């Protein structure tokens, strides 16, 4: 908390969100203490996202400009996705032409949700994105959950495939998390060839190659009720973790999801939003976090 003392050793270096008073190091923001060698700083929970090269982010297109898209990535400045930094339909590898500029809305429109990777960060904090890999692209048939970006744990992969629940999750390092029905996406690729932006590379390769219909590409598809409930349960699991400021990654999400299959939340997904139920379904995740801290 603000004004709380931070235990340090002699020779420490004062980092962000800290100050020295009467020889003691104090926090100037609410957050977690991060130590890097002698450097001590506080990572604020409510701070705006600051991009890092290689981060996986989820964003919403806010403007289609000449040769670029402007994307809301939960940062101080909007991210920029250049036309030269995306895959063309069919996976064509060539120079972008004036014709490609006229067809930009066939790829991404205003209000579209997309996944991308941070390519570079400029001195003013603005972010350049790219989506050249087939695992990035348009996100559809799911729900966006916004959480403090500091709660999203950086992992080897941020594209989770929870086959036991038929749910897929894209964990954006910027605090935007996209939850979608996994099985429906697979049927979609095989049936109508609409770009989903999630799944394995083989599926996406065929998907991008056949994504030539502008209307079909952006059209939401029908999802069975059972898969909708699984998607809603996974999204509520993420919200429950965020409400208690617990780290969000695959293990904690599955812990909360499994715990919600019993009790009052077994038949009522909406009950996961109640304060008392959130405490109950997050106990298992809390125990795993405690065990990991002791190890």
């Amino acid at each position: 908390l603000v004004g709380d003392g931070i235990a340090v050793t002699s020779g420490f270096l004062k980092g962000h969100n800290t100050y020295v008073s009467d020889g003691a190091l104090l926090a100037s923001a609410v957050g977690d203490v991060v130590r890097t060698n002698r450097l001590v700083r506080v990572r604020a929970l409510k701070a705006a996202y600051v991009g890092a090269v290689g981060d996986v982010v989820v964003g919403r297109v806010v403007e289609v400009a000449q040769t670029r898209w402007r994307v809301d990535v939960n940062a101080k400045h909007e991210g920029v996705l250049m036309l030269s930094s995306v895959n063309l339909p069919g996976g064509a590898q060539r120079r972008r032409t004036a014709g490609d500029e006229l067809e930009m809305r066939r790829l991404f429109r205003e209000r579209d949700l997309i996944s991308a990777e941070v390519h570079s960060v400029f001195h003013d904090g603005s972010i350049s994105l790219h989506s050249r890999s087939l695992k990035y692209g348009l996100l559809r048939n799911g729900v966006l959950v916004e959480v403090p970006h500091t709660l999203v744990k950086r992992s080897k992969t941020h594209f989770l495939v929870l086959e036991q629940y038929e749910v897929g999750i894209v964990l954006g390092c910027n605090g935007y998390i996209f939850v979608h029905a996994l099985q429906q996406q697979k049927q979609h690729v095989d049936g109508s060839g609409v770009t989903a932006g999630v799944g394995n590379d083989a599926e996406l390769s065929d998907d991008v190659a056949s994504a030539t219909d502008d209307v079909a590409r952006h059209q939401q598809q029908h999802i069975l009720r059972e898969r909708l409930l699984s998607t809603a349960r996974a999204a509520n699991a993420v919200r429950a973790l965020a409400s208690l400021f617990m780290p969000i990654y695959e293990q904690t999400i599955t812990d909360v999801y499994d715990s919600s299959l019993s009790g009052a939340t077994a038949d009522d997904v909406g009950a996961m939003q109640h304060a008392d139920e959130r405490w109950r379904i997050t106990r298992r995740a809390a125990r795993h976090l405690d065990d990991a801290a002791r190890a």
Side-chain angles (χ1 to χ4, degrees), residues 175-207:
Y176 288 171
I177 298 177
F178 185 78
V179 186
H180 64 94
L182 183 64
Q183 187 63 30
Q184 179 68 18
Q185 297 281 20
K186 290 181 179 178
Q187 289 181 352
H188 217 47
V189 171
D190 296 338
S192 61
V194 179
T195 302
V198 289
N200 63 48
D201 289 349
E203 291 169 344
L204 287 172
S205 179
D206 296 336
D207 185 14

Side-chain angles (χ1 to χ4, degrees), residues 21-22 39 47 51 66 89 119 145 164-165 175 196 227 246 276:
S21 177
D22 297 330
L39 179 66
Q66 185 177 15
H119 180 261
V145 181
Q164 65 272 35
Y165 313 129
R227 298 194 180 102
M246 299 175 66
D276 53 344

